[in-house]
Amino acid sequence: MGCAEKDCCTKGVATGAIAFPGTNEPNTPWKLYNHLIAGIPEDVTVRDYCLGTHWSYVEADSGMGVSFTTTGGARRGYTGDLRGMSLREVAELSKSWCFEEASLGVAALNAWYSQRALLDPLGCTYDAAVEAPDGTIRKMDAFEMYRPQISAAGGDARVVVVGHFPHVERIEEYARLTVLERKCSQAGDVPDPACEYVIPGADYLFMTGVTLINKTAPRLLDLAANATTVFVGPSVIMAPFLFRWGVDMLAGSVVADPDKARFAVKNGAGQFFGEALTMAALRNPEA
């Protein structure tokens, strides 16, 4: 899959200004996206981007942002060259119902919000070593960071995880676990429409950042009003504004090595987390 040119139907697609009519009304779920987009200065320019097989990036004057390449949704509506465009305008793609476009839009948002210059003053921590129950030391792991707190409930805490993360089954050792997954592959997975039934009763909710791409995030956050809520993964937009939506911690990433990130995205291989990204955690100061 080529950079800036993912092969998809281009008949009738737009190449002018990026805009999504009907998404600017107040008091709708779009306000989450509109606020994040509006937080990007108008004078930041996109220099490069790639819609990769597994991951995508947008590189701008402010730095590089990444996201998981999410497929599906509507047909692609925009195939113009994003280079030289305003980062704020490219971030409008986060509102697209074509999830490939939305992947680039979220990467654009991260190109602004995942800057250490913005995150350091907020008390963000990076690659904190976490001791696992077996004594091994791992890089920052949002699930392990909350394990002592969850375990204090004596196994009765109800934990819902949106997205089947690696080793998520470990949570069953100390809590009652439900995994919501669009493509159920494991015995404990339930399909994502079950969110309406299980999240309102959850004590803890861990959400993949992909929910920001597929637009389920606003509803999931509404359902999680009574839960401790954590966004997890490289697609997480590291914007403190999300705390106003009930998020307790953002466990995302910043690009530590743009060259390695570029290679990992374009080549579809490489040790993406260990070499290209630095994992980052930002807690809601009011949580």
Side-chain angles (χ1 to χ4, degrees), residues 116-270:
R116 292 196 62 154
L118 297 179
L119 295 172
D120 288 353
L122 301 175
C124 190
T125 57
Y126 307 92
D127 270 345
V130 175
E131 184 174 356
D134 61 4
T136 59
I137 301 297
R138 295 204 298 270
K139 284 189 173 184
M140 185 179 292
D141 183 323
F143 300 106
E144 292 297 332
M145 291 173 75
Y146 274 88
R147 181 171 182 145
Q149 183 176 326
I150 297 172
S151 297
D156 290 330
R158 294 164 295 183
V159 177
V160 176
V161 178
V162 181
H164 199 103
F165 288 86
H167 312 299
V168 69
E169 63 277 358
R170 290 174 179 163
I171 296 174
E172 293 180 327
E173 299 171 5
Y174 54 91
R176 295 156 57 188
L177 172 66
T178 301
V179 177
L180 296 172
E181 176 57 56
R182 182 149 293 184
K183 298 178 181 178
C184 296
S185 60
Q186 304 298 321
D189 293 353
V190 297
D192 54 359
C195 65
E196 300 284 342
Y197 299 83
V198 300
I199 292 180
D203 298 302
Y204 295 86
L205 174 66
F206 293 87
M207 296 170 53
T208 170
V210 172
T211 60
L212 293 161
I213 297 172
N214 65 26
K215 314 299 184 295
T216 57
R219 178 57 182 163
L220 295 176
L221 292 174
D222 286 345
L223 292 171
N226 297 319
T228 296
T229 303
V230 183
F231 261 123
V232 183
S235 301
V236 172
I237 301 168
M238 297 295 291
F241 168 71
L242 293 171
F243 296 149
R244 292 165 56 180
W245 282 70
V247 177
D248 293 280
M249 188 171 80
L250 302 170
S253 64
V254 296
V255 176
D257 190 323
D259 288 336
K260 288 182 178 179
R262 227 177 274 116
F263 176 82
V265 170
K266 293 179 179 180
N267 196 45

Side-chain angles (χ1 to χ4, degrees), residues 1-5 46-60 63-70 82-83 87 90 93 100-112 213 234-235 255 257-268 272 276-277:
M1 178 179 313
C3 298
E5 295 183 359
V46 170
R47 301 302 177 185
D48 188 28
Y49 66 101
C50 184
L51 183 63
T53 305
H54 301 295
W55 301 95
S56 296
Y57 72 78
V58 171
E59 193 165 14
M64 179 183 285
V66 299
S67 72
F68 182 73
T69 301
T70 306
L82 306 180
R83 293 171 296 182
L87 182 64
V90 174
L93 288 173
E100 289 93 339
E101 290 181 344
S103 299
L104 288 173
V106 167
L109 286 165
N110 270 325
W112 175 254
I213 297 172
S235 301
V255 176
D257 190 323
D259 288 336
K260 288 182 178 179
R262 227 177 274 116
F263 176 82
V265 170
K266 293 179 179 180
N267 196 45
F272 195 83
L277 300 183

